[in-house]
Amino acid sequence: MAHGDTVPMPEAQPRRAGGLATLLRTQMRNIAPFLTLIFLTAFFAIASPSFATLDNVGNILTQVSVTGIIAVGLTFVILCAEIDLSIAAIANVTGIAVAFFTLQDSYVNIANLPLPGFAAIMLALALCALLGAVNAFGLTVIGIPSFIMTLAMMQIAAGISAMLVRGQIAYKV
């Protein structure tokens, strides 16, 4: 190019027409789960008359509430580019600890410490907090990678669960 020549500028792309169809195509990754949920809800409402009742909606929301709370907490962990593999095992230990620390009926085949409900819940939460503190200490002070530390804590929590129920299955706690 000689001095004074201008560089040709690429022409602007013409605006594509199509509106809604183009928007749907470009946003399908975001829209697909929502459309699937709507389709499944409609299918089950037609297949079972008791599905589309307020009692069933309340039951579904009750069942997914714990998972939703855990998912919100794990969102922050993932946003920090970390991972927590021990969350389900620690939640399991917490539930088993509440059962262990409360008075159970005679048909429950695991040994337990008969404490009032409030004290059992507080002890179970303290155990959960202690396991979380061990996780935090390993990650922040010692510097163990989160994958390794939470994998180890998952095994530790599974062992604590098995120890509390003495390797037995308690169905009706």
Side-chain angles (χ1 to χ4, degrees), residues 56-139:
N56 190 44
V57 171
N59 185 23
I60 290 171
L61 291 176
T62 300
Q63 290 180 11
V64 301
S65 62
V66 173
T67 305
I69 291 168
I70 290 172
V72 168
L74 281 178
T75 299
F76 294 109
V77 172
I78 292 170
L79 285 174
C80 294
E82 298 292 333
I83 188 87
D84 189 352
L85 302 174
S86 65
I87 190 82
I90 291 177
N92 191 31
V93 166
T94 307
I96 288 174
V98 169
F100 180 79
F101 290 130
T102 55
L103 179 62
Q104 300 296 330
D105 292 328
S106 62
Y107 59 81
V108 177
N109 59 354
I110 60 172
N112 56 9
L113 300 174
L115 296 174
F118 182 75
I121 291 171
M122 289 296 112
L123 280 173
L125 288 176
L127 176 62
C128 178
L130 176 69
L131 293 175
V134 170
N135 250 347
F137 181 79
L139 290 168

